[in-house]
Amino acid sequence: MPASLMRVAALGLLPLVAACAGSSTGASAAAAPVDSAAVSATTNDSVPSAADSAAARLARHVGFRQAIGDAARLGIVTGYAEVRPGRVVLTMGPGFTSASTVEYHLKRIYSAYGDYLNHALAPVLELHANGAVIGDYTWEGLALSGKAGQGT
């Protein structure tokens, strides 16, 4: 077989090899269905595009995907991105001011993110609404700044 045909055949098999390699590294995470709300929540205009691969890795973590998906379904969170290891920016939605279980869901997201980090770093969830930082969630709990709970 000519060398040019061998290159074409090898390039054609490359996606298959990559897919097989990706599925063997984390069979339980890869086998789980992807929550479309959690994946679509990763697209956030205020987040740098360099965080895309980190968001994809984070979305594959089953516990985080479930926690963020539940919060997204309630409208508490509309987007998220890991801006650096240990810090996730959450874009808060209308459910943030109306849902009675906001702190419960933030604690679930916080715990799942800590698990994702293998508890090597103390996580911080930075809360954003209307393009501004309105507070954070740390091991000490929820801390809102100024008028965060009023009209956001």
Side-chain angles (χ1 to χ4, degrees):
M1 185 183 302
S4 61
L5 286 177
M6 289 176 58
R7 276 195 301 264
V8 170
L11 289 175
L13 291 175
L14 191 57
L16 179 63
V17 171
C20 290
S23 67
S24 67
T25 59
S28 63
V34 175
D35 184 353
S36 60
V39 174
S40 65
T42 62
T43 57
N44 182 352
D45 294 337
S46 65
V47 178
S49 62
D52 289 343
S53 63
R57 286 191 305 271
L58 192 53
R60 285 191 300 268
H61 186 272
V62 175
F64 185 84
R65 187 175 63 238
Q66 290 173 344
I68 203 78
D70 289 346
R73 276 187 290 283
L74 292 171
I76 297 170
V77 175
T78 60
Y80 71 94
E82 183 179 44
V83 292
R84 66 175 182 266
R87 181 170 290 268
V88 168
V89 170
L90 299 177
T91 303
M92 309 314 289
F96 179 69
T97 56
S98 62
S100 60
T101 58
V102 170
E103 287 195 57
Y104 166 77
H105 286 285
L106 290 175
K107 183 176 183 174
R108 281 188 63 209
I109 295 167
Y110 177 85
S111 296
Y113 184 52
D115 184 48
Y116 165 79
L117 294 171
N118 201 24
H119 305 286
L121 298 169
V124 175
L125 304 179
E126 188 176 300
L127 312 179
H128 287 222
N130 300 324
V133 177
I134 61 165
D136 59 20
Y137 192 93
T138 65
W139 66 274
E140 294 175 328
L142 180 61
L144 298 175
S145 59
K147 300 181 180 183
Q150 304 169 358
T152 53

